[in-house]
Short mmCIF file of all heavy atoms in Angstrom, two decimals:
data_model
loop_
_atom_site.label_atom_id
_atom_site.label_comp_id
_atom_site.label_asym_id
_atom_site.label_seq_id
_atom_site.Cartn_x
_atom_site.Cartn_y
_atom_site.Cartn_z
N ALA P 9 106.65 -235.69 24.20
CA ALA P 9 105.31 -235.75 23.69
C ALA P 9 104.95 -234.23 22.96
O ALA P 9 103.96 -234.17 22.33
CB ALA P 9 104.28 -236.00 24.70
N GLY P 10 105.90 -233.37 23.14
CA GLY P 10 105.81 -232.03 22.52
C GLY P 10 104.85 -231.07 23.15
O GLY P 10 104.44 -230.04 22.59
N GLU P 11 104.47 -231.33 24.47
CA GLU P 11 103.56 -230.54 25.15
C GLU P 11 104.24 -229.39 25.90
O GLU P 11 103.70 -228.30 26.13
CB GLU P 11 102.77 -231.38 26.16
CG GLU P 11 101.81 -232.35 25.46
CD GLU P 11 100.70 -231.68 24.68
OE1 GLU P 11 100.02 -230.77 25.32
OE2 GLU P 11 100.56 -232.05 23.55
N TRP P 12 105.36 -229.71 26.56
CA TRP P 12 106.13 -228.67 27.39
C TRP P 12 107.42 -228.36 26.70
O TRP P 12 108.03 -229.21 26.03
CB TRP P 12 106.32 -229.14 28.72
CG TRP P 12 105.04 -229.43 29.50
CD1 TRP P 12 103.78 -229.07 29.25
CD2 TRP P 12 104.95 -230.18 30.65
NE1 TRP P 12 102.89 -229.52 30.09
CE2 TRP P 12 103.56 -230.22 31.06
CE3 TRP P 12 105.84 -230.94 31.55
CZ2 TRP P 12 103.11 -230.90 32.15
CZ3 TRP P 12 105.40 -231.59 32.66
CH2 TRP P 12 104.02 -231.51 32.95
N ARG P 13 107.96 -227.11 26.93
CA ARG P 13 109.21 -226.79 26.36
C ARG P 13 110.27 -226.17 27.33
O ARG P 13 111.46 -226.23 27.00
CB ARG P 13 109.00 -225.77 25.21
CG ARG P 13 108.34 -226.30 24.12
CD ARG P 13 108.69 -225.50 22.84
NE ARG P 13 108.39 -226.31 21.74
CZ ARG P 13 108.43 -225.82 20.51
NH1 ARG P 13 108.96 -224.60 20.39
NH2 ARG P 13 108.12 -226.62 19.44
N ASP P 14 109.84 -225.70 28.43
CA ASP P 14 110.76 -225.01 29.29
C ASP P 14 110.26 -225.16 30.74
O ASP P 14 109.03 -225.34 31.06
CB ASP P 14 110.76 -223.46 28.94
CG ASP P 14 112.11 -222.81 29.35
OD1 ASP P 14 112.93 -223.51 29.88
OD2 ASP P 14 112.18 -221.57 29.25
N TYR P 15 111.15 -224.85 31.74
CA TYR P 15 110.84 -224.90 33.09
C TYR P 15 111.71 -223.86 33.89
O TYR P 15 112.73 -223.40 33.35
CB TYR P 15 110.98 -226.32 33.75
CG TYR P 15 112.33 -226.73 33.96
CD1 TYR P 15 113.12 -226.52 35.04
CD2 TYR P 15 113.03 -227.45 32.83
CE1 TYR P 15 114.46 -226.94 35.19
CE2 TYR P 15 114.30 -227.89 32.93
CZ TYR P 15 115.04 -227.70 34.16
OH TYR P 15 116.31 -228.04 34.36
N GLY P 16 111.28 -223.60 35.06
CA GLY P 16 111.95 -222.67 35.91
C GLY P 16 111.81 -223.18 37.29
O GLY P 16 110.82 -223.76 37.72
N ILE P 17 112.94 -223.00 38.11
CA ILE P 17 112.80 -223.39 39.56
C ILE P 17 113.06 -222.18 40.37
O ILE P 17 114.16 -221.43 40.13
CB ILE P 17 113.89 -224.45 39.89
CG1 ILE P 17 113.65 -225.66 39.03
CG2 ILE P 17 113.89 -224.80 41.34
CD1 ILE P 17 114.69 -226.82 39.10
N SER P 18 112.24 -221.93 41.43
CA SER P 18 112.41 -220.85 42.40
C SER P 18 112.51 -221.50 43.77
O SER P 18 111.68 -222.27 44.05
CB SER P 18 111.27 -219.87 42.28
OG SER P 18 111.11 -219.33 41.04
N MET P 19 113.53 -221.02 44.46
CA MET P 19 113.61 -221.49 45.88
C MET P 19 113.60 -220.24 46.78
O MET P 19 114.57 -219.44 46.81
CB MET P 19 114.98 -222.24 46.00
CG MET P 19 115.01 -223.51 45.25
SD MET P 19 116.49 -224.38 45.32
CE MET P 19 117.58 -223.37 44.27
N LEU P 20 112.53 -220.17 47.46
CA LEU P 20 112.24 -218.91 48.34
C LEU P 20 112.28 -219.37 49.84
O LEU P 20 112.60 -220.56 50.11
CB LEU P 20 111.03 -218.31 47.96
CG LEU P 20 110.84 -217.90 46.54
CD1 LEU P 20 109.40 -217.54 46.13
CD2 LEU P 20 111.82 -216.81 46.12
N LYS P 21 112.06 -218.47 50.65
CA LYS P 21 112.09 -218.68 52.13
C LYS P 21 111.03 -219.72 52.56
O LYS P 21 111.29 -220.61 53.33
CB LYS P 21 111.86 -217.44 52.95
CG LYS P 21 111.98 -217.57 54.47
CD LYS P 21 111.85 -216.28 55.04
CE LYS P 21 111.95 -216.40 56.64
NZ LYS P 21 111.81 -215.15 57.28
N ASP P 22 109.80 -219.55 52.02
CA ASP P 22 108.67 -220.48 52.40
C ASP P 22 108.20 -221.52 51.42
O ASP P 22 107.50 -222.40 51.82
CB ASP P 22 107.44 -219.67 52.76
CG ASP P 22 107.68 -218.61 53.85
OD1 ASP P 22 108.50 -218.95 54.77
OD2 ASP P 22 107.12 -217.54 53.89
N VAL P 23 108.67 -221.38 50.18
CA VAL P 23 108.19 -222.23 49.14
C VAL P 23 109.30 -222.45 48.09
O VAL P 23 110.06 -221.60 47.76
CB VAL P 23 106.97 -221.68 48.46
CG1 VAL P 23 107.20 -220.37 47.87
CG2 VAL P 23 106.28 -222.65 47.60
N ALA P 24 109.33 -223.82 47.55
CA ALA P 24 110.04 -224.03 46.33
C ALA P 24 109.02 -224.22 45.22
O ALA P 24 107.98 -224.96 45.40
CB ALA P 24 110.89 -225.29 46.53
N VAL P 25 109.37 -223.72 44.05
CA VAL P 25 108.31 -223.83 42.91
C VAL P 25 109.07 -224.25 41.71
O VAL P 25 110.11 -223.78 41.27
CB VAL P 25 107.69 -222.43 42.66
CG1 VAL P 25 106.66 -222.54 41.53
CG2 VAL P 25 107.07 -221.85 43.82
N PHE P 26 108.47 -225.27 41.00
CA PHE P 26 108.91 -225.81 39.76
C PHE P 26 107.91 -225.33 38.74
O PHE P 26 106.78 -225.85 38.77
CB PHE P 26 109.14 -227.34 39.70
CG PHE P 26 109.71 -227.87 38.51
CD1 PHE P 26 111.08 -228.18 38.46
CD2 PHE P 26 108.91 -228.19 37.37
CE1 PHE P 26 111.58 -228.70 37.28
CE2 PHE P 26 109.47 -228.65 36.26
CZ PHE P 26 110.84 -228.96 36.27
N SER P 27 108.19 -224.34 37.89
CA SER P 27 107.24 -223.87 36.96
C SER P 27 107.42 -224.47 35.53
O SER P 27 108.49 -224.61 35.12
CB SER P 27 107.36 -222.25 36.83
OG SER P 27 107.17 -221.73 38.11
N ILE P 28 106.27 -224.85 34.93
CA ILE P 28 106.32 -225.52 33.65
C ILE P 28 105.70 -224.62 32.62
O ILE P 28 104.63 -224.06 32.81
CB ILE P 28 105.53 -226.84 33.71
CG1 ILE P 28 106.20 -227.81 34.77
CG2 ILE P 28 105.47 -227.59 32.37
CD1 ILE P 28 105.35 -228.89 35.18
N PHE P 29 106.42 -224.47 31.46
CA PHE P 29 106.02 -223.55 30.41
C PHE P 29 105.75 -224.29 29.13
O PHE P 29 106.52 -225.25 28.82
CB PHE P 29 107.04 -222.56 30.12
CG PHE P 29 107.39 -221.67 31.33
CD1 PHE P 29 108.39 -222.01 32.24
CD2 PHE P 29 106.70 -220.47 31.59
CE1 PHE P 29 108.56 -221.24 33.46
CE2 PHE P 29 106.93 -219.70 32.63
CZ PHE P 29 107.95 -220.07 33.60
N ARG P 30 104.81 -223.94 28.38
CA ARG P 30 104.54 -224.47 26.99
C ARG P 30 105.54 -223.83 26.12
O ARG P 30 106.10 -224.58 25.27
CB ARG P 30 103.12 -224.18 26.59
CG ARG P 30 102.78 -224.96 25.31
CD ARG P 30 101.29 -225.01 24.96
NE ARG P 30 100.71 -225.94 25.87
CZ ARG P 30 99.45 -225.69 26.44
NH1 ARG P 30 98.86 -224.60 26.21
NH2 ARG P 30 98.96 -226.58 27.20
N ARG P 31 105.79 -222.60 26.20
CA ARG P 31 106.84 -221.82 25.44
C ARG P 31 107.55 -220.99 26.49
O ARG P 31 107.00 -220.49 27.54
CB ARG P 31 106.24 -220.90 24.45
CG ARG P 31 105.62 -221.70 23.30
CD ARG P 31 104.98 -220.86 22.25
NE ARG P 31 104.04 -221.58 21.50
CZ ARG P 31 102.80 -221.81 21.89
NH1 ARG P 31 102.29 -221.38 22.98
NH2 ARG P 31 101.92 -222.54 21.08
N SER P 32 108.78 -220.64 26.20
CA SER P 32 109.64 -219.94 27.22
C SER P 32 109.11 -218.55 27.55
O SER P 32 109.42 -217.98 28.57
CB SER P 32 111.12 -219.99 26.89
OG SER P 32 111.28 -219.35 25.55
N ALA P 33 108.47 -217.87 26.69
CA ALA P 33 108.01 -216.52 26.97
C ALA P 33 106.65 -216.31 27.50
O ALA P 33 106.10 -215.31 27.61
CB ALA P 33 108.07 -215.73 25.58
N GLU P 34 106.03 -217.39 27.91
CA GLU P 34 104.66 -217.43 28.51
C GLU P 34 104.61 -217.40 30.06
O GLU P 34 105.74 -217.57 30.70
CB GLU P 34 103.96 -218.65 28.02
CG GLU P 34 103.58 -218.69 26.58
CD GLU P 34 102.76 -219.92 26.26
OE1 GLU P 34 102.70 -220.87 27.11
OE2 GLU P 34 102.10 -219.92 25.20
N HIS P 35 103.42 -217.38 30.58
CA HIS P 35 103.26 -217.65 31.99
C HIS P 35 103.28 -219.14 32.17
O HIS P 35 102.91 -219.85 31.21
CB HIS P 35 101.92 -216.98 32.43
CG HIS P 35 101.89 -215.60 32.42
ND1 HIS P 35 102.58 -214.80 33.26
CD2 HIS P 35 101.20 -214.77 31.56
CE1 HIS P 35 102.39 -213.53 32.99
NE2 HIS P 35 101.55 -213.48 31.91
N PRO P 36 103.58 -219.61 33.38
CA PRO P 36 103.62 -221.05 33.51
C PRO P 36 102.26 -221.74 33.35
O PRO P 36 101.26 -221.09 33.85
CB PRO P 36 104.12 -221.26 35.02
CG PRO P 36 103.98 -219.92 35.59
CD PRO P 36 103.97 -218.90 34.52
N ILE P 37 102.21 -222.87 32.70
CA ILE P 37 100.92 -223.56 32.58
C ILE P 37 100.64 -224.46 33.90
O ILE P 37 99.48 -224.58 34.26
CB ILE P 37 100.84 -224.42 31.39
CG1 ILE P 37 101.94 -225.38 31.26
CG2 ILE P 37 100.74 -223.58 30.13
CD1 ILE P 37 101.85 -226.43 30.09
N TYR P 38 101.69 -224.85 34.57
CA TYR P 38 101.52 -225.56 35.78
C TYR P 38 102.67 -225.11 36.79
O TYR P 38 103.80 -224.78 36.34
CB TYR P 38 101.66 -227.05 35.58
CG TYR P 38 100.55 -227.67 34.76
CD1 TYR P 38 100.86 -228.13 33.48
CD2 TYR P 38 99.33 -227.76 35.22
CE1 TYR P 38 99.88 -228.64 32.63
CE2 TYR P 38 98.27 -228.21 34.49
CZ TYR P 38 98.59 -228.75 33.25
OH TYR P 38 97.59 -229.20 32.39
N ARG P 39 102.39 -225.13 38.05
CA ARG P 39 103.40 -224.84 39.08
C ARG P 39 103.28 -226.04 40.03
O ARG P 39 102.26 -226.43 40.55
CB ARG P 39 103.16 -223.56 39.82
CG ARG P 39 103.33 -222.45 38.99
CD ARG P 39 103.32 -221.08 39.77
NE ARG P 39 102.45 -221.06 40.98
CZ ARG P 39 101.30 -220.63 41.06
NH1 ARG P 39 100.69 -220.13 39.98
NH2 ARG P 39 100.61 -220.59 42.23
#
């Protein structure tokens, strides 16, 4: 749909996070 462009996955001791970015150089719009 052209809304999202990039993502990142972090796997830590207490939490796993899937971060969603509108552009790759931004802060995540959703986690």
Side-chain angles (χ1 to χ4, degrees):
E11 293 295 310
W12 298 344
R13 290 207 166 175
D14 202 5
Y15 71 91
I17 300 175
S18 301
M19 294 178 286
L20 307 170
K21 184 178 179 182
D22 297 329
V23 62
V25 182
F26 187 96
S27 301
I28 300 166
F29 300 88
R30 187 165 288 138
R31 289 178 203 83
S32 57
E34 291 184 343
H35 295 289
I37 54 174
Y38 297 107
R39 290 188 335 261

